[in-house]
Each structure stands twice: as structure tokens, then as C-alpha cells.
Amino acid sequence: MLNVFINFFESSAFLALDIKTIIMLLLSFVLLYLAIVKEFEPLLLIPIAFGMFLANLPFAGMMNPPEGGNIGGVLYYLYQGVKLGVYPPLIFMGVGAMTDFGPLISNPKSLILGAAAQFGIFVTFLGAIALGAFTAAEAASIAIIGGADGPTALYLTSQLAPHMLGSIAIAAYSYMALVPVIQPPIMKLLTTKEERKIKMEQLRVVTQREKIIFPIMVTLLVSLIVPAAAPLIGMLMLGNLFREALIVDKLRSTASDALMYIVTIFLGLTVGATANVEQFLEPRTLMVMFLGVVAFAFGTAMGVIVAKIMNKFSKQPINPLIGSAGVSAVPMAARVSQVVGQKENPSNFLLMHAMGPNVAGVIGSAVAAGVLLSLFM
């Protein structure tokens, strides 16, 4: 009878628990704590953390490919949606269905701020190359974290450096969740009290015709200029067309609700499952985390600086705080601009003005990803 228990214990996974595996499991618990208790991007961080937990359970084999007659793990098959670049464009369609591009159409100058905030991507790309620890494709995948757009970061990484998906996903979504912590000190450092008090004029009303033409024209122009960006931009604008056409409400609600959340679960689980012991617990992962926050900080700073310059030459006043919303963490970055501005002037309402650069940043990060993809694919 004793032998039965001994054999059972030896066949279990307890003996396979080593220090590295325990560290990965504990890290997944920390991420679950941040998601559930601290509410840091819970919609994505919960499945990412649990995917990491499942993939690092000894002998579970949930990410094992099919071989030797075995059918493979369930997460391996779900991961093909990431590997083949299917999930991120579908999420972009859902984002488009929820996004009002009216503030951007009303104030086209917001495109400049959305483009300026992508500066951090290219600065970090050059910095990662200079370190000598990454290839050009890996550097591009790290740099895109600066766009503060999780699906774009995952899409580009899945194409250029799929072995880095786990560390880049955790860095990208961690910094997106920390927008209210990272951005305000940078915004205050680069602006004066008087600049933060600036009140902006009310935006003009955008017609429904403009809102319908916008997604079609953006898809056409961006796809002609940067064809590699077409999968992301095309799906983003398709979702927005569902929203603005007003005659396909079931398509809009499906894209922005059920489909988006289903894909988010699959995406989070499988991305988290790529964070295994061999690839995650290495010095380069810490470098990815460091470079990610550098990219994010530079993007925020450049958005504010360009907004300050525009304010000097604009007939209508521009509050430089809205430049920080050029990163595409929608709508969190726009809310941060509103909160910081209202602390200086309680009667100031910057949210709709900040939404212009914010949604422009979504387009900008997708275009930046397309440029990097066309250069290094």
C-alpha cells in the first residue's frame, strides 16, 4: 500500500518544482493581486497572469505543441491566433466600434500631437540597438511599448520577435495601467502653472457625414502610404464604420462587446502562457521593462513639448497638457490630462480636447508599427 502512495507522489509534479518555476508562479500571483485588488488593467491582466500560471505548472503541458502522437495543449492551439496575427486586429475592430473620432475630426491639428507622442518609439528603438543586446527586430518590438497600445505591441512582436511576447506584453500592459502614475510628474515638469490653467475653446460639432467618410479615407490613405499597417488600421476603421453608420447596431454591439471580450480572454491567456521560465527569468527581461518605461516617458514628454510649441503659434489657445494624451492609452491618457488640468483650474474641461490626440495616437501607433514591420519583417 505504501508503494502505491510513493508511486503516486513520484508521478505528481511536486518533485518538478524548482526555484525558477516557483518564482514564475509567485510572479503570476503578484500580477493577479495587482489586477484584482489594485484594479490595474484587470480585463487583460487577469487572463495574462492566469495564462502565466497555467503555462508554468510542471507537467501540465498546456503550451506543448503536437508531437509524438500527442494532440498538444489547449493553450498552444489558442496561441495560434496570436502567432498568426489574428487577435490584435479583432481587438482593434472592437476599439473602433467604441471610439468617437469626432474630437479628432473637429480639430485635425490633434494629429500632430498624436504623431509627436510616437517619438518615444523611435528613440527607444535606437537606444535598444545601441545597447547591443537586441537585434533590430527585437528592438522594434520593445520600442513599440512606447505607443501605450497593447494590441499593437502584441501584433508587431508576434511578427518580429514572438519569443519576446511574454515580457513585452507584461511591460506594455503594466505601463498602460500606470498611466495615472507615470504621466503627471512629466506633464508638470514640462509645463508652467499658467500653461496648465489654459482654457480651450469649445470644439465644433462634427456632422454624421464627416464621421462616415473619415474611417474610409483614413484606411485608404494609411494603407497606400504604409501597407503593413492596413490590418490594424483597416479593422479599427471597420469597427468605427459600424458605429457611425447607425444602421448596423448589432454589428457594432457585437464587435465592441461580445467579440472583443472573447478575443481579449484568448489573447491574454495565450500571451501570458508565453512567459515561461527559460525566456522570462533573464537579464534581458529587465532591460525590456526599463526600455519600455523610457519609451513611454519620451512619448509623453514629446507630446507635451509639441503642444507647447503649437500654443505659441496658434490663434486659439492650446493647453500643453493635452499633448500627453497623444499616447494611445484610450481613454485613460485623456482623463489624466483632464485631472491634471482641473487641479490647476477647477473650471477647466480638457477631456474632449484631449480625446483628439488620444485617438490620433491609436492611429499613430498603428502606423509606427507598420513602418517598423515593413523595415524589419
Side-chain angles (χ1 to χ4, degrees):
M1 190 67 178
L2 180 61
N3 289 335
V4 173
F5 285 107
I6 292 174
N7 291 336
F8 175 77
F9 180 76
E10 290 178 345
S11 67
S12 70
F14 286 103
L15 296 178
L17 284 173
D18 56 21
I19 186 63
K20 289 184 176 180
T21 301
I22 292 172
I23 290 174
M24 291 300 295
L25 294 177
L26 291 175
L27 181 58
S28 71
F29 298 155
V30 170
L31 293 178
L32 284 171
Y33 170 80
L34 293 176
I36 297 170
V37 179
K38 298 298 183 180
E39 298 184 8
F40 284 0
E41 288 289 329
L43 290 179
L44 262 164
L45 205 53
I46 288 177
I48 285 175
F50 208 80
M52 181 189 297
F53 171 59
L54 292 175
N56 285 284
L57 290 173
F59 301 158
M62 300 188 73
M63 276 291 282
N64 288 351
E67 58 183 4
N70 296 321
I71 61 172
V74 62
L75 294 184
Y76 169 82
Y77 291 103
L78 292 178
Y79 174 69
Q80 301 312 303
V82 177
K83 186 177 181 180
L84 299 174
V86 175
Y87 294 155
L90 289 178
I91 287 184
F92 256 58
M93 182 170 65
V95 171
M98 294 189 296
T99 301
D100 180 9
F101 284 102
L104 174 58
I105 301 170
S106 179
N107 184 17
K109 289 185 291 186
S110 298
L111 278 170
I112 299 174
L113 299 177
Q118 310 313 311
F119 178 77
I121 294 174
F122 297 100
V123 168
T124 305
F125 169 73
L126 296 175
I129 290 290
L131 286 174
F134 303 99
T135 65
E138 290 173 338
S141 300
I142 296 167
I144 203 66
I145 295 172
D149 188 333
T152 301
L154 297 182
Y155 180 78
L156 185 67
T157 305
S158 69
Q159 305 299 306
L160 296 183
H163 57 285
M164 299 182 70
L165 263 172
S167 56
I168 286 178
I170 291 170
Y173 285 106
S174 296
Y175 295 139
M176 284 174 62
L178 291 172
V179 163
V181 176
I182 297 172
Q183 284 197 319
I186 299 171
M187 296 159 70
K188 292 178 180 179
L189 178 66
L190 297 174
T191 57
T192 65
K193 192 177 184 70
E194 289 69 29
E195 286 175 327
R196 295 195 292 273
K197 287 182 177 180
I198 292 176
K199 297 184 72 171
M200 299 179 67
E201 297 180 4
Q202 187 173 353
L203 295 171
R204 71 173 179 85
V205 177
V206 178
T207 67
Q208 199 63 34
R209 178 178 296 180
E210 289 177 291
K211 289 186 174 183
I212 291 173
I213 293 174
F214 180 79
I216 299 171
M217 293 307 299
V218 169
T219 303
L220 177 63
L221 292 174
V222 171
S223 299
L224 290 176
I225 296 169
V226 190
L232 294 178
I233 289 294
M235 297 300 278
L236 176 71
M237 294 304 163
L238 173 61
N240 189 247
L241 193 59
F242 290 160
R243 170 192 171 95
E244 303 302 348
L246 301 180
I247 56 173
V248 286
D249 191 60
K250 288 185 178 179
L251 295 182
R252 178 202 59 78
S253 61
T254 298
S256 63
D257 193 357
L259 179 61
M260 184 171 179
Y261 290 118
I262 290 169
V263 175
T264 296
I265 292 171
F266 292 164
L267 177 69
L269 266 176
T270 53
V271 164
T274 63
N276 55 46
V277 174
E278 293 77 16
Q279 296 172 359
F280 200 82
L281 294 181
E282 59 174 17
R284 294 207 320 166
T285 301
L286 295 177
M287 295 171 69
V288 168
M289 301 298 287
F290 171 74
L291 289 168
V293 76
V294 168
F296 192 76
F298 266 98
T300 299
M302 185 53 64
V304 173
I305 290 169
V306 170
K308 284 167 68 78
I309 295 171
M310 290 174 64
N311 183 50
K312 298 293 184 183
F313 297 97
S314 176
K315 292 180 180 179
Q316 286 81 34
I318 298 175
N319 190 313
L321 293 178
I322 70 169
S324 66
V327 297
S328 55
V330 179
M332 194 183 304
R335 289 175 182 161
V336 171
S337 298
Q338 164 73 12
V339 169
V340 176
Q342 211 162 41
K343 284 182 179 179
E344 301 292 350
N345 184 353
S347 64
N348 209 353
F349 295 94
L350 297 175
L351 183 60
M352 292 309 296
H353 297 284
M355 282 302 297
N358 208 186
V359 296
V362 178
I363 299 172
S365 63
V367 171
V371 170
L372 294 171
L373 194 60
S374 62
L375 290 175
F376 303 111
M377 186 65 175

